[in-house]
Amino acid sequence: MRASILTIGDELLIGQVIDTNSAWLADSLSELGFEVTKILSISDSSQAIAEAVKELMGQSDLVISTGGLGPTSDDRTKPTLCELFGGQLMLHAPSLSLIEQIFHKRGLPLTETNKNQALIPSSCTPILNYHGTAPGMIFRKGNCFLISLPGVPFEMKNMFTEGVRPFIEQNFTLPAIVRLNVNTFGIPESFLSDKLKDFEKFLADRSIALAYLPSPSGIRLRLTATGDNKGRLSNLLDMAVNELKGLVGENIFGFNDETLPSVVSKKLRGKNETLAVAESCTGGYISHLITQLPGSSDIYKGGIVAYSNEIKQNVLGVSHDLLISHGAVSQPVVEAMLDGTLRVFQSDYAIAVSGIAGPTGATAGKPVGTTWIGVASRETRRVELYAFGNLREVNIQRAAYTALYQLLKLMDKD
Amino acid sequence: MRASILTIGDELLIGQVIDTNSAWLADSLSELGFEVTKILSISDSSQAIAEAVKELMGQSDLVISTGGLGPTSDDRTKPTLCELFGGQLMLHAPSLSLIEQIFHKRGLPLTETNKNQALIPSSCTPILNYHGTAPGMIFRKGNCFLISLPGVPFEMKNMFTEGVRPFIEQNFTLPAIVRLNVNTFGIPESFLSDKLKDFEKFLADRSIALAYLPSPSGIRLRLTATGDNKGRLSNLLDMAVNELKGLVGENIFGFNDETLPSVVSKKLRGKNETLAVAESCTGGYISHLITQLPGSSDIYKGGIVAYSNEIKQNVLGVSHDLLISHGAVSQPVVEAMLDGTLRVFQSDYAIAVSGIAGPTGATAGKPVGTTWIGVASRETRRVELYAFGNLREVNIQRAAYTALYQLLKLMDKD
């Protein structure tokens, strides 16, 4: 079954707002077993809406549209669909009652404009909106359904879950789909794809789709199996994951939504151990990645952003001689930062990073991107040199994720 | 002039990735004077790519596509465009040289797969990629140009700025557009819009468009004037900004791309003074916001993420008694953190934050969102209590930006 998503709104076409509804809907529809073939964004114009609806309905079994249902004159979706599918605008009493409740709760008077939101085309089946004022609408033409929802993300998501999903499950016969992400780090995309050449044939023979999703936080391999029996598909994916482990097991750090910060945190929590961080060029980003996860105070003792040599000396106890003879971006200084961090924070593990994020700061023999990353437990430490690129933002991200990956490897050996 | 945006990638159609490229491109194209009429996302399928390119080129003067240019077999954009526009894949020596440089710098061997990224259709004009391995391509059919760029956001953005924008300015005649952002903080959207009711009429009379762009980092007011004379439009916007300053001058902290971190950094640099930060609930995020800006080592001495009471005591010298009698999330503790930060880092200014980001950590009388934020110079300090919401991520962001805004206000008084 093919589905399309249509997002309507001038704010999207001038780049004022990032369209997050489409990804959420695409994920939800894919999980239900649809093949989403198009995501289209258009402006609040009757002509553009009518053309897009006709085109997408001609190519799909289901079209979900969001947006253009507000009470103001620049919202054109409802009158355009009414004209397109025929019928007249009629008062939908249950929707009016929900609108009245919302205004009553907020202590606001109900205007004529608000009441008009309960008018819907007689040619549609309404979907109640318990979280806002615009009802949803289901239209049918031939074998294709069009479902129109408001653009406000939390209204749209709640209406999809409460009203659209049950409707779809009743009205469509969909294949079974099982998805799995295998998350890797420390291997460039081209090397990974070289290593997986035979594996891709293995997948193709079993009709499993593979996608590479690279970012500074690693490369996510997405496996999608489609068929008619979820149990059988899950077994197929288990086999595929075992194959993958044999090929690039070293680089696999997690599955599905797991990230390096979440996996490191979980592992620390499991061992009832703690981490502290000394950051120079990453400037607090490693600490931020850890502390943005709920409950991080269990495993994270704290961090120092040691941007100046004085702080490396005064707080972390890195010796002045070491800083002068080797420079702040050097193996001995990172080793001393590790020692200082373990001592000051009394943590079980430490991370220390010193590098040149750029664009300034390069010296002879140490170009922008030069970065020393160290990790340590109370017994052992591992310090490595990396040559990242020229972009400050990317260097900060790569250094941070590399440090977490290096820590994970150290913990695995402990 | 009409433009369309085409984003290509299976990951978009199953909702694994939010398409942020489209909003960025839509904003950039609008600023250049294009009317963006469609944003379309499709899968990595040759048929889908060919159909979409033909359709969009038939409706637009310019189509920008992103994605599908990676080295792996699921990337179909380049062979499809080669077939569509004719010609043969030929080695582009300058691109190969850039690819070699990247691999050389990273100390990695160059595989055949990597080298193949420098093959481009003879029917296109290449755009060099200084930040990754896939070159961009410009094709022409009739009066319409198609420009294909990689999907990795930082590569795409840099290539747009370095290669695409100059090409567009040479090849298109576009209306004059002048845009200006006025960046505010510390006033909710509904209050702001009430204060600006008459101002909106002032703008409408002069055909200036106003948009409100709210986020945890403040509300950006975007003014757009369109016409045929940039000088006249700039004068109009200057008048509008003067009006705005009279209405909400207190809350305006910057213009255009200025952010609270950049404005604070600039002000410190101007005074040749320094900042240090002690963070509890913000967990390194304030330090990250400052240090992600190039050259921040001039004005930023360092920071402590004092997640545990021990660190507040041992490093910042907050007294045990204070922590026990008032709790870590309290005015006296934040005051002591400020004193400790100024002393340890020997900085001219300090920020200290202690709060409950959630979802756990609430205590009697201190619900999730309770946050004390303090700023200090060597002479004076200002500590304020805030009641943020229930979402951890948003609380961290709001606390960080509020702290920077509070510091700016303190510096303005100094």
Side-chain angles (χ1 to χ4, degrees):
Chain A
M1 290 281 170
R2 291 157 69 102
S4 310
I5 296 164
L6 177 64
T7 57
I8 301 166
D10 291 344
E11 69 280 12
L12 301 169
L13 278 300
I14 60 165
Q16 187 173 314
V17 163
I18 290 173
D19 174 13
T20 57
N21 283 345
S22 287
W24 191 90
L25 281 169
D27 184 58
S28 303
L29 291 170
S30 300
E31 206 176 6
L32 282 166
F34 284 97
E35 181 197 359
V36 178
T37 53
K38 278 191 183 178
I39 299 171
L40 177 61
S41 302
I42 53 167
S43 69
D44 288 297
S45 120
S46 291
Q47 195 194 334
I49 296 170
E51 281 175 14
V53 165
K54 278 187 233 163
E55 182 185 328
L56 294 179
M57 288 188 87
Q59 300 165 348
S60 322
D61 304 290
L62 173 68
V63 179
I64 308 247
S65 80
T66 66
L69 299 182
T72 56
S73 58
D74 56 353
D75 290 301
R76 304 301 310 150
T77 303
K78 193 164 67 180
T80 306
L81 295 180
C82 189
E83 198 167 309
L84 207 60
F85 290 93
Q88 302 215 321
L89 288 178
M90 314 253 288
L91 185 76
H92 184 238
S95 287
L96 180 60
S97 153
L98 286 174
I99 293 169
E100 284 167 348
Q101 280 172 39
I102 285 179
F103 278 78
H104 181 74
K105 199 175 162 186
R106 295 188 193 155
L108 298 170
L110 196 65
T111 66
E112 209 51 37
T113 311
N114 305 131
K115 279 188 195 160
N116 286 344
Q117 295 222 263
L119 295 176
I120 56 164
S122 52
S123 47
C124 83
T125 307
I127 304 173
L128 290 171
N129 183 350
Y130 294 97
H131 314 278
T133 51
M137 300 172 284
I138 304 175
F139 297 91
R140 181 175 194 158
K141 191 168 189 183
N143 284 322
C144 180
F145 290 98
L146 168 74
I147 303 182
S148 163
L149 300 173
V152 182
F154 82 89
E155 294 181 28
M156 183 281 287
K157 290 176 189 177
N158 279 298
M159 289 170 81
F160 187 91
T161 306
E162 295 159 3
V164 177
R165 191 189 295 272
F167 176 84
I168 286 174
E169 283 167 343
Q170 269 186 16
N171 287 276
F172 288 88
T173 307
L174 292 159
I177 293 220
V178 181
R179 291 196 312 201
L180 187 78
N181 296 324
V182 181
N183 304 324
T184 71
F185 196 88
I187 180 169
E189 187 175 1
S190 56
F191 284 64
L192 191 56
S193 91
D194 280 349
K195 278 201 175 186
L196 300 187
K197 276 230 162 85
D198 290 339
F199 177 67
E200 294 198 17
K201 282 182 204 120
F202 169 96
L203 293 180
D205 291 345
R206 287 157 183 82
S207 302
I208 300 173
L210 171 68
Y212 292 74
L213 309 172
S215 79
S217 61
I219 298 171
R220 182 168 277 196
L221 298 170
R222 192 198 61 220
L223 300 166
T224 307
T226 310
D228 44 27
N229 179 321
K230 285 216 177 191
R232 204 184 69 83
L233 298 176
S234 292
N235 289 342
L236 263 183
L237 286 189
D238 286 346
M239 275 172 59
V241 168
N242 278 334
E243 283 286 312
L244 258 180
K245 283 182 179 164
L247 295 166
V248 290
E250 264 289 285
N251 299 97
I252 296 172
F253 68 82
F255 298 91
N256 296 326
D257 291 335
E258 289 180 332
T259 61
L260 276 168
S262 80
V263 169
V264 164
S265 302
K266 191 175 157 191
K267 196 154 228 158
L268 286 166
R269 196 167 285 116
K271 299 165 84 137
N272 202 19
E273 292 186 319
T274 57
L275 171 66
V277 178
E279 307 188 58
S280 179
C281 63
T282 47
Y285 189 61
I286 299 176
S287 290
H288 170 59
L289 288 177
I290 299 278
T291 59
Q292 72 180 350
L293 300 172
S296 47
S297 53
D298 293 354
I299 54 96
Y300 175 78
K301 283 259 191 158
I304 302 236
V305 185
Y307 233 52
S308 65
N309 280 351
E310 298 140 82
I311 298 305
K312 291 186 184 88
Q313 284 176 233
N314 299 345
V315 182
L316 293 175
V318 178
S319 87
H320 182 71
D321 289 354
L322 221 51
L323 285 161
I324 294 303
S325 53
H326 298 275
V329 180
S330 67
Q331 177 162 6
V333 166
V334 166
E335 285 172 352
M337 286 169 73
L338 286 171
D339 295 345
T341 306
L342 288 173
R343 194 183 59 248
V344 170
F345 289 93
Q346 293 288 305
S347 60
D348 300 297
Y349 291 94
I351 289 175
V353 180
S354 186
I356 301 156
T360 57
T363 57
K366 290 179 185 173
V368 167
T370 304
T371 308
W372 284 96
I373 297 180
V375 295
S377 67
R378 290 182 199 268
E379 292 78 33
T380 172
R381 63 189 177 198
R382 188 172 154 185
V383 179
E384 307 267 359
L385 175 63
Y386 296 87
F388 297 131
N390 288 316
L391 297 172
R392 183 180 184 85
E393 197 186 328
V394 180
N395 286 345
I396 291 172
Q397 291 176 18
R398 289 183 65 187
Y401 285 103
T402 302
L404 291 169
Y405 181 68
Q406 206 170 298
L407 177 63
L408 204 60
K409 290 287 150 189
L410 185 84
M411 290 169 76
D412 283 344
K413 280 196 185 137
D414 265 16
Chain B
M1 291 281 170
R2 292 158 68 103
S4 310
I5 296 164
L6 177 63
T7 57
I8 300 167
D10 290 344
E11 68 278 14
L12 301 168
L13 278 301
I14 66 156
Q16 187 134 18
V17 164
I18 290 173
D19 174 13
T20 57
N21 283 345
S22 287
W24 190 90
L25 282 169
D27 182 58
S28 303
L29 292 170
S30 301
E31 195 179 12
L32 282 165
F34 285 96
E35 182 198 357
V36 178
T37 53
K38 277 192 182 178
I39 299 172
L40 177 62
S41 302
I42 54 167
S43 70
D44 288 298
S45 121
S46 292
Q47 193 194 335
I49 295 169
E51 283 175 13
V53 165
K54 279 188 234 164
E55 182 185 328
L56 295 179
M57 286 188 88
Q59 300 165 349
S60 323
D61 303 290
L62 173 68
V63 179
I64 308 248
S65 81
T66 67
L69 299 182
T72 56
S73 58
D74 57 350
D75 290 302
R76 305 302 310 151
T77 303
K78 191 163 68 179
T80 306
L81 295 180
C82 188
E83 199 167 310
L84 205 60
F85 291 92
Q88 303 215 320
L89 288 179
M90 316 250 289
L91 184 76
H92 184 239
S95 288
L96 180 59
S97 154
L98 286 174
I99 294 168
E100 284 168 348
Q101 280 172 39
I102 285 178
F103 277 79
H104 179 74
K105 193 170 170 195
R106 294 188 191 157
L108 298 172
L110 196 65
T111 67
E112 212 47 40
T113 310
N114 305 132
K115 280 188 194 160
N116 287 343
Q117 294 222 262
L119 295 176
I120 57 163
S122 53
S123 46
C124 82
T125 307
I127 303 173
L128 290 172
N129 182 350
Y130 294 97
H131 312 279
T133 52
M137 300 172 284
I138 305 177
F139 297 90
R140 180 176 194 156
K141 192 166 190 183
N143 284 322
C144 180
F145 289 98
L146 167 74
I147 302 183
S148 162
L149 299 172
V152 181
F154 81 88
E155 294 182 27
M156 182 281 287
K157 290 177 189 176
N158 279 294
M159 290 171 79
F160 187 91
T161 306
E162 294 160 4
V164 176
R165 189 190 296 270
F167 176 85
I168 286 174
E169 284 167 343
Q170 269 186 16
N171 288 276
F172 288 87
T173 308
L174 294 159
I177 292 213
V178 181
R179 285 206 311 203
L180 186 80
N181 296 323
V182 181
N183 304 324
T184 71
F185 196 87
I187 180 169
E189 189 173 0
S190 57
F191 285 65
L192 192 56
S193 89
D194 279 350
K195 279 200 173 185
L196 301 187
K197 275 231 163 82
D198 290 339
F199 177 66
E200 295 200 16
K201 281 183 205 120
F202 170 96
L203 294 181
D205 290 346
R206 287 156 184 82
S207 300
I208 300 174
L210 171 68
Y212 291 74
L213 309 173
S215 79
S217 60
I219 298 172
R220 180 165 278 194
L221 297 170
R222 193 167 66 192
L223 301 166
T224 307
T226 309
D228 45 27
N229 181 320
K230 284 216 176 192
R232 202 186 69 82
L233 298 175
S234 291
N235 289 341
L236 263 181
L237 287 189
D238 286 347
M239 276 171 58
V241 169
N242 278 334
E243 284 286 313
L244 257 181
K245 282 182 180 165
L247 295 165
V248 290
E250 263 290 287
N251 299 98
I252 296 173
F253 67 82
F255 297 91
N256 295 326
D257 290 335
E258 289 181 331
T259 61
L260 277 167
S262 80
V263 170
V264 164
S265 302
K266 192 175 157 190
K267 196 154 229 159
L268 286 166
R269 197 166 284 118
K271 300 166 84 138
N272 202 21
E273 293 187 319
T274 57
L275 170 66
V277 178
E279 307 188 56
S280 179
C281 63
T282 47
Y285 190 61
I286 298 176
S287 290
H288 170 59
L289 289 176
I290 299 278
T291 60
Q292 71 180 352
L293 301 172
S296 48
S297 53
D298 293 355
I299 53 96
Y300 174 78
K301 284 259 190 159
I304 302 236
V305 185
Y307 233 52
S308 65
N309 279 351
E310 297 140 83
I311 298 304
K312 291 186 183 88
Q313 284 176 235
N314 299 344
V315 182
L316 293 176
V318 178
S319 86
H320 182 72
D321 288 356
L322 222 51
L323 284 162
I324 294 305
S325 53
H326 297 275
V329 181
S330 66
Q331 176 162 7
V333 166
V334 166
E335 286 172 351
M337 287 169 73
L338 286 171
D339 295 345
T341 306
L342 287 173
R343 194 183 59 246
V344 170
F345 288 93
Q346 293 287 306
S347 60
D348 300 297
Y349 291 93
I351 289 175
V353 180
S354 186
I356 300 156
T360 56
T363 57
K366 292 178 185 173
V368 166
T370 304
T371 307
W372 283 96
I373 297 180
V375 295
S377 67
R378 289 181 199 268
E379 293 79 33
T380 172
R381 64 188 177 200
R382 187 171 154 186
V383 179
E384 307 268 1
L385 174 64
Y386 297 88
F388 298 131
N390 287 316
L391 297 172
R392 181 180 186 85
E393 198 186 328
V394 179
N395 287 345
I396 291 172
Q397 291 176 18
R398 288 183 66 186
Y401 285 103
T402 302
L404 292 169
Y405 182 67
Q406 206 170 298
L407 177 64
L408 204 60
K409 291 286 151 190
L410 185 83
M411 289 169 76
D412 283 346
K413 281 197 186 138
D414 265 16

PDB file of all heavy atoms in Angstrom, chain B residues 56-74:
ATOM      1  N   LEU B  56       9.301  18.779 -11.501  1.00  0.00           N
ATOM      2  CA  LEU B  56       9.655  20.053 -10.869  1.00  0.00           C
ATOM      3  C   LEU B  56      10.317  21.012 -11.856  1.00  0.00           C
ATOM      4  O   LEU B  56      10.088  22.219 -11.825  1.00  0.00           O
ATOM      5  CB  LEU B  56      10.566  19.822  -9.658  1.00  0.00           C
ATOM      6  CG  LEU B  56       9.930  19.063  -8.479  1.00  0.00           C
ATOM      7  CD1 LEU B  56      10.940  18.876  -7.360  1.00  0.00           C
ATOM      8  CD2 LEU B  56       8.685  19.775  -7.948  1.00  0.00           C
ATOM      9  N   MET B  57      11.132  20.468 -12.777  1.00  0.00           N
ATOM     10  CA  MET B  57      11.778  21.349 -13.761  1.00  0.00           C
ATOM     11  C   MET B  57      10.745  21.944 -14.710  1.00  0.00           C
ATOM     12  O   MET B  57      10.942  23.042 -15.233  1.00  0.00           O
ATOM     13  CB  MET B  57      12.867  20.599 -14.535  1.00  0.00           C
ATOM     14  CG  MET B  57      14.111  20.356 -13.677  1.00  0.00           C
ATOM     15  SD  MET B  57      15.526  19.687 -14.609  1.00  0.00           S
ATOM     16  CE  MET B  57      16.318  21.205 -15.184  1.00  0.00           C
ATOM     17  N   GLY B  58       9.637  21.242 -14.919  1.00  0.00           N
ATOM     18  CA  GLY B  58       8.562  21.768 -15.767  1.00  0.00           C
ATOM     19  C   GLY B  58       7.800  22.903 -15.110  1.00  0.00           C
ATOM     20  O   GLY B  58       7.086  23.651 -15.773  1.00  0.00           O
ATOM     21  N   GLN B  59       7.938  23.028 -13.766  1.00  0.00           N
ATOM     22  CA  GLN B  59       7.133  24.025 -13.037  1.00  0.00           C
ATOM     23  C   GLN B  59       7.969  25.160 -12.448  1.00  0.00           C
ATOM     24  O   GLN B  59       7.418  26.069 -11.845  1.00  0.00           O
ATOM     25  CB  GLN B  59       6.396  23.328 -11.871  1.00  0.00           C
ATOM     26  CG  GLN B  59       5.457  22.212 -12.305  1.00  0.00           C
ATOM     27  CD  GLN B  59       5.046  21.329 -11.132  1.00  0.00           C
ATOM     28  OE1 GLN B  59       5.607  21.427 -10.051  1.00  0.00           O
ATOM     29  NE2 GLN B  59       4.053  20.476 -11.353  1.00  0.00           N
ATOM     30  N   SER B  60       9.297  25.070 -12.572  1.00  0.00           N
ATOM     31  CA  SER B  60      10.157  26.009 -11.836  1.00  0.00           C
ATOM     32  C   SER B  60      11.254  26.564 -12.730  1.00  0.00           C
ATOM     33  O   SER B  60      11.557  26.024 -13.790  1.00  0.00           O
ATOM     34  CB  SER B  60      10.836  25.307 -10.661  1.00  0.00           C
ATOM     35  OG  SER B  60       9.990  24.374 -10.045  1.00  0.00           O
ATOM     36  N   ASP B  61      11.874  27.633 -12.244  1.00  0.00           N
ATOM     37  CA  ASP B  61      13.065  28.173 -12.913  1.00  0.00           C
ATOM     38  C   ASP B  61      14.331  27.581 -12.319  1.00  0.00           C
ATOM     39  O   ASP B  61      15.387  27.610 -12.936  1.00  0.00           O
ATOM     40  CB  ASP B  61      13.089  29.696 -12.755  1.00  0.00           C
ATOM     41  CG  ASP B  61      11.821  30.314 -13.305  1.00  0.00           C
ATOM     42  OD1 ASP B  61      11.646  30.295 -14.532  1.00  0.00           O
ATOM     43  OD2 ASP B  61      10.975  30.762 -12.501  1.00  0.00           O
ATOM     44  N   LEU B  62      14.219  27.089 -11.092  1.00  0.00           N
ATOM     45  CA  LEU B  62      15.370  26.516 -10.411  1.00  0.00           C
ATOM     46  C   LEU B  62      14.895  25.371  -9.527  1.00  0.00           C
ATOM     47  O   LEU B  62      13.899  25.499  -8.821  1.00  0.00           O
ATOM     48  CB  LEU B  62      16.044  27.586  -9.528  1.00  0.00           C
ATOM     49  CG  LEU B  62      17.173  27.108  -8.609  1.00  0.00           C
ATOM     50  CD1 LEU B  62      18.385  26.665  -9.424  1.00  0.00           C
ATOM     51  CD2 LEU B  62      17.575  28.212  -7.628  1.00  0.00           C
ATOM     52  N   VAL B  63      15.596  24.241  -9.605  1.00  0.00           N
ATOM     53  CA  VAL B  63      15.337  23.123  -8.691  1.00  0.00           C
ATOM     54  C   VAL B  63      16.644  22.821  -7.962  1.00  0.00           C
ATOM     55  O   VAL B  63      17.682  22.675  -8.605  1.00  0.00           O
ATOM     56  CB  VAL B  63      14.863  21.858  -9.451  1.00  0.00           C
ATOM     57  CG1 VAL B  63      14.634  20.711  -8.476  1.00  0.00           C
ATOM     58  CG2 VAL B  63      13.609  22.144 -10.260  1.00  0.00           C
ATOM     59  N   ILE B  64      16.571  22.787  -6.632  1.00  0.00           N
ATOM     60  CA  ILE B  64      17.747  22.357  -5.874  1.00  0.00           C
ATOM     61  C   ILE B  64      17.428  20.992  -5.284  1.00  0.00           C
ATOM     62  O   ILE B  64      16.400  20.824  -4.618  1.00  0.00           O
ATOM     63  CB  ILE B  64      18.075  23.323  -4.728  1.00  0.00           C
ATOM     64  CG1 ILE B  64      18.166  24.750  -5.239  1.00  0.00           C
ATOM     65  CG2 ILE B  64      19.334  22.856  -3.981  1.00  0.00           C
ATOM     66  CD1 ILE B  64      19.496  25.387  -5.211  1.00  0.00           C
ATOM     67  N   SER B  65      18.283  20.007  -5.556  1.00  0.00           N
ATOM     68  CA  SER B  65      18.078  18.698  -4.939  1.00  0.00           C
ATOM     69  C   SER B  65      19.201  18.418  -3.960  1.00  0.00           C
ATOM     70  O   SER B  65      20.324  18.893  -4.129  1.00  0.00           O
ATOM     71  CB  SER B  65      18.000  17.597  -5.999  1.00  0.00           C
ATOM     72  OG  SER B  65      19.289  17.215  -6.416  1.00  0.00           O
ATOM     73  N   THR B  66      18.883  17.664  -2.913  1.00  0.00           N
ATOM     74  CA  THR B  66      19.920  17.222  -1.981  1.00  0.00           C
ATOM     75  C   THR B  66      19.790  15.722  -1.796  1.00  0.00           C
ATOM     76  O   THR B  66      18.694  15.168  -1.849  1.00  0.00           O
ATOM     77  CB  THR B  66      19.801  17.887  -0.587  1.00  0.00           C
ATOM     78  OG1 THR B  66      18.595  17.428   0.041  1.00  0.00           O
ATOM     79  CG2 THR B  66      19.774  19.395  -0.675  1.00  0.00           C
ATOM     80  N   GLY B  67      20.928  15.066  -1.585  1.00  0.00           N
ATOM     81  CA  GLY B  67      20.914  13.661  -1.198  1.00  0.00           C
ATOM     82  C   GLY B  67      21.135  12.689  -2.336  1.00  0.00           C
ATOM     83  O   GLY B  67      21.072  13.026  -3.516  1.00  0.00           O
ATOM     84  N   GLY B  68      21.455  11.464  -1.933  1.00  0.00           N
ATOM     85  CA  GLY B  68      21.625  10.382  -2.892  1.00  0.00           C
ATOM     86  C   GLY B  68      22.952  10.409  -3.629  1.00  0.00           C
ATOM     87  O   GLY B  68      23.102   9.767  -4.665  1.00  0.00           O
ATOM     88  N   LEU B  69      23.940  11.157  -3.108  1.00  0.00           N
ATOM     89  CA  LEU B  69      25.231  11.254  -3.794  1.00  0.00           C
ATOM     90  C   LEU B  69      26.339  10.479  -3.085  1.00  0.00           C
ATOM     91  O   LEU B  69      27.510  10.598  -3.438  1.00  0.00           O
ATOM     92  CB  LEU B  69      25.655  12.724  -3.930  1.00  0.00           C
ATOM     93  CG  LEU B  69      24.727  13.636  -4.729  1.00  0.00           C
ATOM     94  CD1 LEU B  69      25.305  15.041  -4.804  1.00  0.00           C
ATOM     95  CD2 LEU B  69      24.519  13.092  -6.136  1.00  0.00           C
ATOM     96  N   GLY B  70      26.007   9.695  -2.072  1.00  0.00           N
ATOM     97  CA  GLY B  70      27.024   8.952  -1.328  1.00  0.00           C
ATOM     98  C   GLY B  70      27.681   7.878  -2.186  1.00  0.00           C
ATOM     99  O   GLY B  70      27.302   7.660  -3.341  1.00  0.00           O
ATOM    100  N   PRO B  71      28.690   7.208  -1.618  1.00  0.00           N
ATOM    101  CA  PRO B  71      29.462   6.237  -2.397  1.00  0.00           C
ATOM    102  C   PRO B  71      28.797   4.858  -2.472  1.00  0.00           C
ATOM    103  O   PRO B  71      29.297   3.985  -3.182  1.00  0.00           O
ATOM    104  CB  PRO B  71      30.772   6.145  -1.607  1.00  0.00           C
ATOM    105  CG  PRO B  71      30.402   6.450  -0.196  1.00  0.00           C
ATOM    106  CD  PRO B  71      29.230   7.393  -0.256  1.00  0.00           C
ATOM    107  N   THR B  72      27.696   4.660  -1.776  1.00  0.00           N
ATOM    108  CA  THR B  72      27.164   3.298  -1.693  1.00  0.00           C
ATOM    109  C   THR B  72      26.103   3.036  -2.757  1.00  0.00           C
ATOM    110  O   THR B  72      25.609   3.949  -3.410  1.00  0.00           O
ATOM    111  CB  THR B  72      26.581   3.034  -0.291  1.00  0.00           C
ATOM    112  OG1 THR B  72      25.598   4.026  -0.019  1.00  0.00           O
ATOM    113  CG2 THR B  72      27.670   3.097   0.759  1.00  0.00           C
ATOM    114  N   SER B  73      25.775   1.754  -2.901  1.00  0.00           N
ATOM    115  CA  SER B  73      24.917   1.339  -4.010  1.00  0.00           C
ATOM    116  C   SER B  73      23.486   1.853  -3.866  1.00  0.00           C
ATOM    117  O   SER B  73      22.747   1.886  -4.833  1.00  0.00           O
ATOM    118  CB  SER B  73      24.895  -0.188  -4.102  1.00  0.00           C
ATOM    119  OG  SER B  73      24.438  -0.714  -2.872  1.00  0.00           O
ATOM    120  N   ASP B  74      23.088   2.269  -2.641  1.00  0.00           N
ATOM    121  CA  ASP B  74      21.719   2.778  -2.504  1.00  0.00           C
ATOM    122  C   ASP B  74      21.624   4.264  -2.862  1.00  0.00           C
ATOM    123  O   ASP B  74      20.556   4.843  -2.771  1.00  0.00           O
ATOM    124  CB  ASP B  74      21.161   2.499  -1.098  1.00  0.00           C
ATOM    125  CG  ASP B  74      22.020   3.083   0.013  1.00  0.00           C
ATOM    126  OD1 ASP B  74      23.134   3.535  -0.289  1.00  0.00           O
ATOM    127  OD2 ASP B  74      21.579   3.073   1.171  1.00  0.00           O
TER     128      ASP B  74
END
